[in-house]
Amino acid sequence: MSESPRACKHKERPSKSPRKRRDGKRSQRRGGDHEQLLWEIERRRLPGQHEHLEPCGSASDAAESSPKRFALQGASWSFVHIQDPASQRLTWNKPPVNVLVIRKIRDESLVEPFKELCRFLVEDKQMMVYVERRVADDATLSKDEAFCSIRNQLCTFREGYDDISDCIDLIICLGGDGTLLYASSLFQGSVPPVMAFHLGSLGFLTPFKFESYKTEVAKVFEGNAAITLRSRLKVKVVKDMLQRTGEPPYSGGPQQQPEHNGLLPHGHTNTDAGKVTLQLQVLNEVVVDRGPSSYLSNVDLYLDGRLITSVQGDGLIVSTPTGSTAYAAAAGASMIHPNVPAIMVTPICPHSLSFRPIVVPAGVELMITLSPDARNTAWVSFDGRKRQEIQHGDCIKITTSCYPVPSICCHDLVYDWFESLAQCLHWNVRKRQARLADASDSSDTEN
């Protein structure tokens, strides 16, 4: 890709990855091995928990599993205790060095906040700042000679070309909820802590105000910040799965049909056939819809290999608790706190009066296929991206990912969520009922 001349030439070497462009003085950071995490989620012991209560995983993989489980065992019994999400805190094993700044593009109002933040991180905090190449090459930044010295110190990357998954210690988002979704898409494995500033339109997932960014960023660098582990969905698109087996998705053969309750007690899918053409980590939702066709979408929904139901309507939404306040909420689903371990299944305009949204446990595997008698194909999108067509014989497998997004809270995980419900969605907002001036005016008062 050719570059046009600009006032101050940006420092970049296209032939090298972002990791090789770092200054040697600042290159002392965590290694590429995920066992040497620079940050971890610390969970405090709850009242009533004793010394024989031991975590199932080490501190280094605490951020890679959600929810965190603690096993309590006796001589002949055992059960699993779910740790209180309110005790999740961010601590730094080493001071953070590399910060990824994500800015909402095509928004000129964010240019000045972006420059302020980069200057603060580079000059005041001595951080190595990573930005997208298209952000660094913005014409407004190129013309600003005062910002030239800072711009030359930025490390750039291109989505899909440069791997920065093991380079970043902290992510700072400037914009709306889309910036957080984009940050999630950049890390298909373990995700660094994310600090999101509300500079967009809605801002449900961005609790911080930019007016106090210096104070807030300094607090995060000091550690002990509250964390919300936002679960993601691991999604696989498998092509030609049914055509290769020569059977319907239930293994009982072409003649076996579902029982009246929609379950196949002994029929399970063949998971070894087909070719995985796409695998993604999704933060909000997977949407299956009828696309440009005027026919009803007709897809089959399986849970752990058992046929649950057929969906006839405009489509189906499979969402995380974080996504429950997005498309799923518009389709009539309940809003679930992001720390609840669950997967939501919400129909889009179902042609049935009794098809209500459901919530299933986070550990199950869902599978969506076209029904054999479907009149048209279906289309699927993942957090609104990578939209593609699903044909007969294809399937979509969905389960909870073991790589959540650690979202830094402004106050705490409960207050921030209800504050977003009230400020962004105006949850339960109505004009207050006036009190009675005289109790005798009430129709329920006895004479």
Side-chain angles (χ1 to χ4, degrees):
M1 182 173 60
S2 61
E3 300 182 2
S4 59
R6 48 182 178 258
C8 54
K9 190 174 182 59
H10 189 272
K11 181 184 71 174
E12 61 180 23
R13 299 174 185 173
S15 61
K16 296 185 178 181
S17 65
R19 285 174 292 176
K20 297 180 180 180
R21 293 198 300 268
R22 292 190 305 258
D23 185 83
K25 181 179 179 180
R26 300 175 182 174
S27 62
Q28 296 179 354
R29 56 168 180 82
R30 58 173 179 169
D33 194 342
H34 282 184
E35 295 180 356
Q36 299 178 349
L37 291 176
L38 181 63
W39 54 273
E40 65 179 7
I41 305 299
E42 179 186 71
R43 287 170 170 80
R44 297 174 179 172
R45 180 171 295 169
L46 296 177
Q49 292 181 356
H50 306 290
E51 292 182 358
H52 63 273
L53 204 63
E54 297 180 350
C56 296
S58 63
S60 64
D61 61 7
E64 299 182 9
S65 61
S66 176
K68 182 71 175 180
R69 298 186 301 172
F70 285 76
L72 184 62
Q73 296 182 350
S76 60
W77 54 269
S78 65
F79 67 89
V80 172
H81 173 76
I82 304 299
Q83 180 71 11
D84 179 16
S87 63
Q88 296 168 173
R89 313 294 296 186
L90 170 66
T91 60
W92 300 102
N93 294 332
K94 299 177 182 178
V97 176
N98 303 315
V99 180
L100 170 62
V101 178
I102 297 179
R103 194 201 90 186
K104 181 181 179 182
I105 61 174
R106 296 187 296 273
D107 190 342
E108 296 298 326
S109 64
L110 297 184
V111 174
E112 288 303 321
F114 173 77
K115 292 192 294 185
E116 286 185 36
L117 178 62
C118 290
R119 183 176 288 107
F120 172 72
L121 293 174
V122 173
E123 293 183 347
D124 296 359
K125 296 299 181 179
Q126 302 298 311
M127 295 290 166
M128 183 66 70
V129 178
Y130 287 72
V131 299
E132 284 188 275
R133 177 180 294 184
R134 56 179 176 173
V135 173
D137 290 343
D138 185 275
T140 305
L141 297 179
S142 302
K143 298 175 182 178
D144 189 347
E145 297 183 359
F147 188 70
C148 181
S149 60
I150 301 297
R151 183 168 171 270
N152 285 336
Q153 300 182 57
L154 302 179
C155 288
T156 63
F157 72 95
R158 294 177 299 169
E159 181 187 9
Y161 293 91
D162 300 318
D163 182 15
I164 60 171
S165 58
D166 64 340
C167 300
I168 305 303
D169 304 322
L170 175 67
I171 304 174
I172 299 180
C173 297
L174 303 179
D177 295 345
T179 58
L180 186 61
L181 295 176
Y182 179 66
S184 171
S185 69
L186 293 176
F187 296 85
Q188 294 300 299
S190 182
V191 186
V194 182
M195 184 180 191
F197 286 93
H198 177 28
L199 291 169
S201 54
L202 184 61
F204 193 91
L205 306 178
T206 54
F208 290 95
K209 298 184 182 302
F210 190 77
E211 289 75 11
S212 57
Y213 76 94
K214 291 186 178 180
T215 303
E216 300 295 347
V217 171
K219 289 181 180 179
V220 171
F221 286 159
E222 293 172 0
N224 199 33
I227 287 286
T228 298
L229 292 179
R230 299 186 179 274
S231 63
R232 295 195 289 180
L233 300 175
K234 184 175 73 172
V235 187
K236 293 181 181 179
V237 177
V238 184
K239 294 290 186 180
D240 302 327
M241 188 189 76
L242 307 186
Q243 293 177 7
R244 296 189 179 208
T245 62
E247 296 181 354
Y250 36 87
S251 61
Q255 303 301 323
Q256 185 177 357
Q257 297 297 327
E259 295 182 350
H260 67 280
N261 62 355
L263 297 179
L264 288 174
H266 301 293
H268 291 80
T269 59
N270 187 340
T271 58
D272 297 330
K275 177 183 179 182
V276 177
T277 60
L278 182 66
Q279 180 168 323
L280 291 173
Q281 306 283 332
V282 176
L283 179 57
N284 259 4
E285 74 269 311
V286 178
V287 178
V288 180
D289 59 74
R290 58 190 175 95
S293 174
S294 59
Y295 289 113
L296 287 175
S297 173
N298 192 352
V299 298
D300 292 336
L301 176 65
Y302 295 81
L303 190 150
D304 286 340
R306 295 158 61 98
L307 178 64
I308 300 300
T309 189
S310 294
V311 182
Q312 297 184 87
D314 281 352
L316 186 69
I317 304 171
V318 179
S319 62
T320 64
T322 296
S324 68
T325 53
Y327 195 176
S334 297
M335 294 181 290
I336 300 181
H337 190 277
N339 267 103
V340 177
I343 300 176
M344 302 188 63
V345 179
T346 307
I348 306 173
C349 297
H351 201 248
S352 169
L353 298 178
S354 59
F355 197 166
R356 304 301 302 159
I358 60 174
V359 179
V360 297
V364 304
E365 181 183 67
L366 299 174
M367 188 177 75
I368 301 173
T369 66
L370 278 179
S371 296
D373 54 352
R375 296 185 178 183
N376 59 293
T377 62
W379 288 76
V380 60
S381 61
F382 313 93
D383 281 344
R385 308 180 72 194
K386 299 186 182 297
R387 184 172 171 82
Q388 58 184 270
E389 188 175 15
I390 299 299
Q391 301 178 346
H392 286 281
D394 303 342
C395 78
I396 306 165
K397 296 182 179 181
I398 306 171
T399 188
T400 300
S401 170
C402 61
Y403 298 110
V405 175
S407 181
I408 300 176
C409 302
C410 183
H411 300 93
D412 60 69
L413 71 170
V414 175
Y415 179 89
D416 284 3
W417 192 65
F418 279 101
E419 181 73 6
S420 295
L421 288 180
Q423 297 297 325
C424 300
L425 300 182
H426 303 290
W427 177 64
N428 196 29
V429 174
R430 74 178 295 272
K431 188 176 181 180
R432 299 285 296 181
Q433 185 182 43
R435 60 178 297 181
L436 294 175
D438 188 351
S440 61
D441 293 341
S442 174
S443 59
D444 295 335
T445 304
E446 295 182 1
N447 295 328

Tab-separated table of all heavy atoms in Angstrom, residues 64-94:
chain	number	residue	atom	x	y	z
A	64	GLU	N	-8.609	-16.400	32.437
A	64	GLU	CA	-8.944	-17.165	31.259
A	64	GLU	C	-10.122	-18.100	31.480
A	64	GLU	O	-10.435	-18.912	30.619
A	64	GLU	CB	-7.730	-17.980	30.798
A	64	GLU	CG	-6.562	-17.120	30.426
A	64	GLU	CD	-5.391	-17.949	29.933
A	64	GLU	OE1	-5.561	-19.153	29.733
A	64	GLU	OE2	-4.326	-17.374	29.759
A	65	SER	N	-10.780	-18.029	32.634
A	65	SER	CA	-11.941	-18.863	32.885
A	65	SER	C	-12.992	-18.035	33.576
A	65	SER	O	-12.698	-17.202	34.416
A	65	SER	CB	-11.556	-20.060	33.758
A	65	SER	OG	-11.055	-19.625	34.999
A	66	SER	N	-14.224	-18.257	33.222
A	66	SER	CA	-15.326	-17.521	33.814
A	66	SER	C	-16.543	-18.421	33.851
A	66	SER	O	-16.924	-19.002	32.847
A	66	SER	CB	-15.647	-16.279	32.990
A	66	SER	OG	-16.766	-15.618	33.515
A	67	PRO	N	-17.204	-18.580	35.013
A	67	PRO	CA	-16.819	-17.987	36.291
A	67	PRO	C	-15.750	-18.802	36.999
A	67	PRO	O	-15.553	-19.970	36.696
A	67	PRO	CB	-18.134	-18.013	37.078
A	67	PRO	CG	-18.809	-19.244	36.554
A	67	PRO	CD	-18.467	-19.311	35.087
A	68	LYS	N	-15.062	-18.204	37.975
A	68	LYS	CA	-14.050	-18.899	38.744
A	68	LYS	C	-14.735	-19.858	39.709
A	68	LYS	O	-15.680	-19.495	40.379
A	68	LYS	CB	-13.205	-17.886	39.510
A	68	LYS	CG	-12.079	-18.510	40.308
A	68	LYS	CD	-10.990	-19.042	39.403
A	68	LYS	CE	-9.826	-19.551	40.218
A	68	LYS	NZ	-8.767	-20.070	39.378
A	69	ARG	N	-14.249	-21.102	39.795
A	69	ARG	CA	-14.884	-22.101	40.631
A	69	ARG	C	-13.955	-22.518	41.766
A	69	ARG	O	-12.752	-22.646	41.581
A	69	ARG	CB	-15.279	-23.322	39.806
A	69	ARG	CG	-16.279	-23.015	38.716
A	69	ARG	CD	-16.746	-24.267	38.030
A	69	ARG	NE	-15.632	-24.991	37.426
A	69	ARG	CZ	-15.738	-26.191	36.887
A	69	ARG	NH1	-16.886	-26.811	36.892
A	69	ARG	NH2	-14.680	-26.779	36.345
A	70	PHE	N	-14.523	-22.780	42.939
A	70	PHE	CA	-13.779	-23.266	44.077
A	70	PHE	C	-14.424	-24.566	44.537
A	70	PHE	O	-15.624	-24.617	44.761
A	70	PHE	CB	-13.779	-22.247	45.219
A	70	PHE	CG	-12.871	-21.076	44.966
A	70	PHE	CD1	-13.242	-20.070	44.096
A	70	PHE	CD2	-11.638	-20.998	45.579
A	70	PHE	CE1	-12.402	-18.998	43.862
A	70	PHE	CE2	-10.797	-19.926	45.345
A	70	PHE	CZ	-11.176	-18.937	44.491
A	71	ALA	N	-13.639	-25.622	44.669
A	71	ALA	CA	-14.168	-26.928	45.032
A	71	ALA	C	-14.017	-27.157	46.527
A	71	ALA	O	-12.966	-26.886	47.117
A	71	ALA	CB	-13.433	-28.018	44.268
A	72	LEU	N	-15.084	-27.653	47.158
A	72	LEU	CA	-15.082	-28.006	48.571
A	72	LEU	C	-15.333	-29.497	48.658
A	72	LEU	O	-16.366	-29.986	48.192
A	72	LEU	CB	-16.154	-27.222	49.323
A	72	LEU	CG	-16.218	-27.406	50.836
A	72	LEU	CD1	-14.908	-26.936	51.466
A	72	LEU	CD2	-17.386	-26.633	51.425
A	73	GLN	N	-14.410	-30.236	49.240
A	73	GLN	CA	-14.491	-31.688	49.238
A	73	GLN	C	-14.430	-32.228	50.652
A	73	GLN	O	-13.764	-31.684	51.527
A	73	GLN	CB	-13.353	-32.293	48.405
A	73	GLN	CG	-13.415	-31.942	46.928
A	73	GLN	CD	-12.308	-32.609	46.138
A	73	GLN	OE1	-11.400	-33.179	46.725
A	73	GLN	NE2	-12.397	-32.536	44.827
A	74	GLY	N	-15.160	-33.340	50.857
A	74	GLY	CA	-15.104	-34.088	52.098
A	74	GLY	C	-14.648	-35.496	51.820
A	74	GLY	O	-14.153	-35.813	50.740
A	75	ALA	N	-14.841	-36.386	52.796
A	75	ALA	CA	-14.403	-37.765	52.629
A	75	ALA	C	-15.154	-38.469	51.513
A	75	ALA	O	-14.580	-39.220	50.735
A	75	ALA	CB	-14.571	-38.516	53.951
A	76	SER	N	-16.448	-38.235	51.432
A	76	SER	CA	-17.265	-38.934	50.435
A	76	SER	C	-18.197	-38.011	49.677
A	76	SER	O	-19.155	-38.461	49.079
A	76	SER	CB	-18.090	-40.041	51.119
A	76	SER	OG	-18.952	-39.474	52.101
A	77	TRP	N	-17.926	-36.729	49.713
A	77	TRP	CA	-18.812	-35.783	49.036
A	77	TRP	C	-18.002	-34.600	48.552
A	77	TRP	O	-16.891	-34.355	48.998
A	77	TRP	CB	-19.921	-35.288	49.971
A	77	TRP	CG	-19.376	-34.703	51.252
A	77	TRP	CD1	-19.132	-35.352	52.418
A	77	TRP	CD2	-18.956	-33.341	51.475
A	77	TRP	NE1	-18.594	-34.511	53.356
A	77	TRP	CE2	-18.489	-33.256	52.803
A	77	TRP	CE3	-18.945	-32.198	50.687
A	77	TRP	CZ2	-18.019	-32.087	53.358
A	77	TRP	CZ3	-18.470	-31.018	51.239
A	77	TRP	CH2	-18.022	-30.981	52.564
A	78	SER	N	-18.565	-33.860	47.647
A	78	SER	CA	-17.937	-32.643	47.137
A	78	SER	C	-18.969	-31.814	46.417
A	78	SER	O	-19.969	-32.332	45.915
A	78	SER	CB	-16.777	-32.976	46.181
A	78	SER	OG	-17.273	-33.616	45.019
A	79	PHE	N	-18.750	-30.515	46.364
A	79	PHE	CA	-19.573	-29.637	45.560
A	79	PHE	C	-18.743	-28.442	45.137
A	79	PHE	O	-17.639	-28.231	45.645
A	79	PHE	CB	-20.848	-29.191	46.289
A	79	PHE	CG	-20.612	-28.303	47.483
A	79	PHE	CD1	-20.544	-26.928	47.329
A	79	PHE	CD2	-20.464	-28.831	48.756
A	79	PHE	CE1	-20.326	-26.103	48.408
A	79	PHE	CE2	-20.251	-28.013	49.838
A	79	PHE	CZ	-20.175	-26.645	49.671
A	80	VAL	N	-19.264	-27.688	44.227
A	80	VAL	CA	-18.531	-26.559	43.666
A	80	VAL	C	-19.156	-25.262	44.149
A	80	VAL	O	-20.371	-25.089	44.096
A	80	VAL	CB	-18.541	-26.616	42.124
A	80	VAL	CG1	-17.936	-25.338	41.549
A	80	VAL	CG2	-17.748	-27.827	41.645
A	81	HIS	N	-18.327	-24.378	44.629
A	81	HIS	CA	-18.786	-23.062	45.106
A	81	HIS	C	-18.394	-21.997	44.094
A	81	HIS	O	-17.241	-21.919	43.678
A	81	HIS	CB	-18.157	-22.736	46.456
A	81	HIS	CG	-18.437	-21.339	46.928
A	81	HIS	ND1	-19.652	-20.965	47.444
A	81	HIS	CD2	-17.661	-20.227	46.934
A	81	HIS	CE1	-19.601	-19.670	47.761
A	81	HIS	NE2	-18.403	-19.205	47.465
A	82	ILE	N	-19.342	-21.184	43.669
A	82	ILE	CA	-19.073	-20.095	42.735
A	82	ILE	C	-18.631	-18.864	43.516
A	82	ILE	O	-19.341	-18.382	44.395
A	82	ILE	CB	-20.318	-19.766	41.882
A	82	ILE	CG1	-20.798	-21.006	41.142
A	82	ILE	CG2	-20.003	-18.647	40.909
A	82	ILE	CD1	-19.782	-21.587	40.182
A	83	GLN	N	-17.462	-18.368	43.177
A	83	GLN	CA	-16.902	-17.222	43.885
A	83	GLN	C	-17.728	-15.970	43.620
A	83	GLN	O	-18.265	-15.778	42.534
A	83	GLN	CB	-15.453	-16.997	43.443
A	83	GLN	CG	-14.755	-15.828	44.114
A	83	GLN	CD	-14.455	-16.111	45.580
A	83	GLN	OE1	-14.579	-17.240	46.017
A	83	GLN	NE2	-14.065	-15.091	46.315
A	84	ASP	N	-17.812	-15.111	44.615
A	84	ASP	CA	-18.550	-13.861	44.503
A	84	ASP	C	-17.907	-12.971	43.433
A	84	ASP	O	-16.727	-12.607	43.564
A	84	ASP	CB	-18.546	-13.145	45.857
A	84	ASP	CG	-19.288	-11.822	45.813
A	84	ASP	OD1	-20.040	-11.609	44.850
A	84	ASP	OD2	-19.116	-11.015	46.750
A	85	PRO	N	-18.644	-12.598	42.365
A	85	PRO	CA	-18.047	-11.755	41.320
A	85	PRO	C	-17.592	-10.394	41.827
A	85	PRO	O	-16.700	-9.785	41.243
A	85	PRO	CB	-19.188	-11.612	40.292
A	85	PRO	CG	-20.116	-12.747	40.576
A	85	PRO	CD	-20.025	-12.976	42.044
A	86	ALA	N	-18.203	-9.913	42.916
A	86	ALA	CA	-17.843	-8.595	43.431
A	86	ALA	C	-16.415	-8.555	43.962
A	86	ALA	O	-15.855	-7.472	44.153
A	86	ALA	CB	-18.826	-8.166	44.522
A	87	SER	N	-15.814	-9.722	44.188
A	87	SER	CA	-14.453	-9.761	44.727
A	87	SER	C	-13.392	-9.758	43.631
A	87	SER	O	-12.207	-9.864	43.928
A	87	SER	CB	-14.285	-11.003	45.606
A	87	SER	OG	-14.444	-12.177	44.832
A	88	GLN	N	-13.796	-9.655	42.383
A	88	GLN	CA	-12.843	-9.660	41.277
A	88	GLN	C	-12.129	-8.313	41.194
A	88	GLN	O	-12.757	-7.272	40.995
A	88	GLN	CB	-13.562	-9.950	39.955
A	88	GLN	CG	-14.181	-11.333	39.911
A	88	GLN	CD	-15.131	-11.501	38.742
A	88	GLN	OE1	-15.615	-12.595	38.497
A	88	GLN	NE2	-15.419	-10.432	38.025
A	89	ARG	N	-10.810	-8.340	41.325
A	89	ARG	CA	-10.011	-7.123	41.289
A	89	ARG	C	-8.846	-7.312	40.326
A	89	ARG	O	-8.337	-8.418	40.129
A	89	ARG	CB	-9.454	-6.773	42.677
A	89	ARG	CG	-10.438	-6.843	43.812
A	89	ARG	CD	-11.527	-5.798	43.714
A	89	ARG	NE	-11.014	-4.445	43.809
A	89	ARG	CZ	-11.804	-3.367	43.857
A	89	ARG	NH1	-13.128	-3.516	43.812
A	89	ARG	NH2	-11.283	-2.164	43.943
A	90	LEU	N	-8.412	-6.210	39.728
A	90	LEU	CA	-7.271	-6.214	38.831
A	90	LEU	C	-6.021	-5.834	39.600
A	90	LEU	O	-5.971	-4.796	40.270
A	90	LEU	CB	-7.494	-5.219	37.689
A	90	LEU	CG	-6.292	-4.928	36.793
A	90	LEU	CD1	-5.901	-6.178	36.013
A	90	LEU	CD2	-6.579	-3.775	35.853
A	91	THR	N	-5.006	-6.683	39.526
A	91	THR	CA	-3.713	-6.373	40.137
A	91	THR	C	-2.624	-6.578	39.094
A	91	THR	O	-2.749	-7.424	38.205
A	91	THR	CB	-3.434	-7.271	41.362
A	91	THR	OG1	-3.433	-8.647	40.952
A	91	THR	CG2	-4.473	-7.063	42.441
A	92	TRP	N	-1.545	-5.814	39.207
A	92	TRP	CA	-0.431	-5.897	38.260
A	92	TRP	C	0.718	-6.632	38.910
A	92	TRP	O	1.202	-6.243	39.972
A	92	TRP	CB	0.023	-4.503	37.839
A	92	TRP	CG	-1.024	-3.675	37.171
A	92	TRP	CD1	-1.752	-2.666	37.729
A	92	TRP	CD2	-1.455	-3.778	35.812
A	92	TRP	NE1	-2.621	-2.141	36.811
A	92	TRP	CE2	-2.460	-2.801	35.617
A	92	TRP	CE3	-1.106	-4.610	34.744
A	92	TRP	CZ2	-3.102	-2.626	34.401
A	92	TRP	CZ3	-1.749	-4.445	33.528
A	92	TRP	CH2	-2.734	-3.457	33.361
A	93	ASN	N	1.186	-7.696	38.254
A	93	ASN	CA	2.402	-8.366	38.711
A	93	ASN	C	3.637	-7.527	38.406
A	93	ASN	O	4.615	-7.550	39.138
A	93	ASN	CB	2.529	-9.738	38.052
A	93	ASN	CG	1.430	-10.682	38.494
A	93	ASN	OD1	0.917	-10.555	39.595
A	93	ASN	ND2	1.075	-11.615	37.638
A	94	LYS	N	3.583	-6.810	37.279
A	94	LYS	CA	4.631	-5.880	36.877
A	94	LYS	C	3.959	-4.615	36.364
A	94	LYS	O	2.823	-4.670	35.900
A	94	LYS	CB	5.513	-6.483	35.779
A	94	LYS	CG	6.242	-7.753	36.164
A	94	LYS	CD	7.031	-8.299	34.978
A	94	LYS	CE	7.739	-9.594	35.326
A	94	LYS	NZ	8.470	-10.146	34.147
